[in-house]
Amino acid sequence: MITTGIFGGSFNPIHNGHVELARQLLASAGLDEIWFVVSPQNPFKRAADLLDDEQRLKMVELALEGEPRMHASDYEFRMPRPSYMWHTLQSMSRDYPDRRFVLLIGADNWERFSEWYAWRDILSHYRIVIYPRGGSAVDAASLPEGVSLVDTRLIDNSSTQVRQLIAADRPINGLVPDSVASYNSCQLYTSEAARERASVGRRGCRCNIKT
């Protein structure tokens, strides 16, 4: 049985912190692999805030090149929207009976876990691994059976920060893999996103990368 961690998110865009966290989770949570499940619509986020699904998936694929135990997944693209993790996990379990799925979530999401759709069902059917997030404290001793807290390093990166820097035409060196930074879609995070979408095929990326 393959133990597969499910790392779900908008990845809007994926950044170096996501990849480094996954490396640490592979080492500390007893996982064989991690699937980066790109969410087409997060129930807690407005769809208008998201870059195109396929472009976010492409950036995840680029970011994971050279990481054989990490895989980009478009599984939720075929699910009803908005996407709920309970539905995703149940469907995956049916489609991949050779895998044992483990849900990977940050401490901030654990604090809101009782707001998740069918959260009790997730708890009773799947192992959950919580990783630390700044500003969120989790008492490991109080966690229910099947839920554990791992000691991964806090990484001060965020997709919001990347989007804001791109919109301000400021450098994003070290925040995203070079392959992601050079991908044309990164210019769609500018404040003139609509005009950028129309011109994306006619010119190179505006992302500010110093070499």
Side-chain angles (χ1 to χ4, degrees), residues 141-194:
S142 68
L143 294 175
E145 184 179 358
V147 182
S148 59
L149 176 68
V150 294
D151 185 20
T152 56
R153 181 170 57 88
L154 286 172
I155 301 171
D156 189 23
N157 283 11
S158 75
S159 296
T160 300
Q161 177 189 19
V162 173
R163 294 196 303 270
Q164 290 173 342
L165 288 172
I166 292 172
D169 199 23
R170 293 176 58 191
I172 55 173
N173 302 68
L175 296 178
V176 300
D178 289 346
S179 58
V180 172
S182 62
Y183 180 60
N184 280 344
S185 67
C186 59
Q187 66 187 308
L188 300 181
Y189 289 113
T190 65
S191 58
E192 300 177 356

Side-chain angles (χ1 to χ4, degrees), residues 48-68:
D49 292 336
L50 294 179
L51 196 63
D52 177 79
D53 295 349
E54 295 294 339
Q55 290 174 324
R56 287 182 291 114
L57 176 67
K58 179 63 176 178
M59 287 190 285
V60 173
E61 291 172 342
L62 290 170
L64 301 185
E65 289 178 349
E67 300 286 350

Side-chain angles (χ1 to χ4, degrees), residues 103 105-114 119 123 126-132 136-151:
L103 178 60
I105 62 173
D108 53 339
N109 273 316
W110 176 251
E111 289 177 335
R112 301 180 60 186
F113 194 68
S114 61
W119 65 274
L123 274 178
Y126 296 95
R127 179 181 158 212
I128 298 175
V129 171
I130 304 168
Y131 53 86
S136 298
V138 174
D139 179 10
S142 68
L143 294 175
E145 184 179 358
V147 182
S148 59
L149 176 68
V150 294
D151 185 20

Side-chain angles (χ1 to χ4, degrees), residues 67-83:
E67 300 286 350
R69 297 170 66 192
M70 303 180 199
H71 309 284
S73 172
D74 64 354
Y75 194 90
E76 287 193 338
F77 291 7
R78 302 180 294 277
M79 302 279 294
R81 302 185 187 187
S83 55

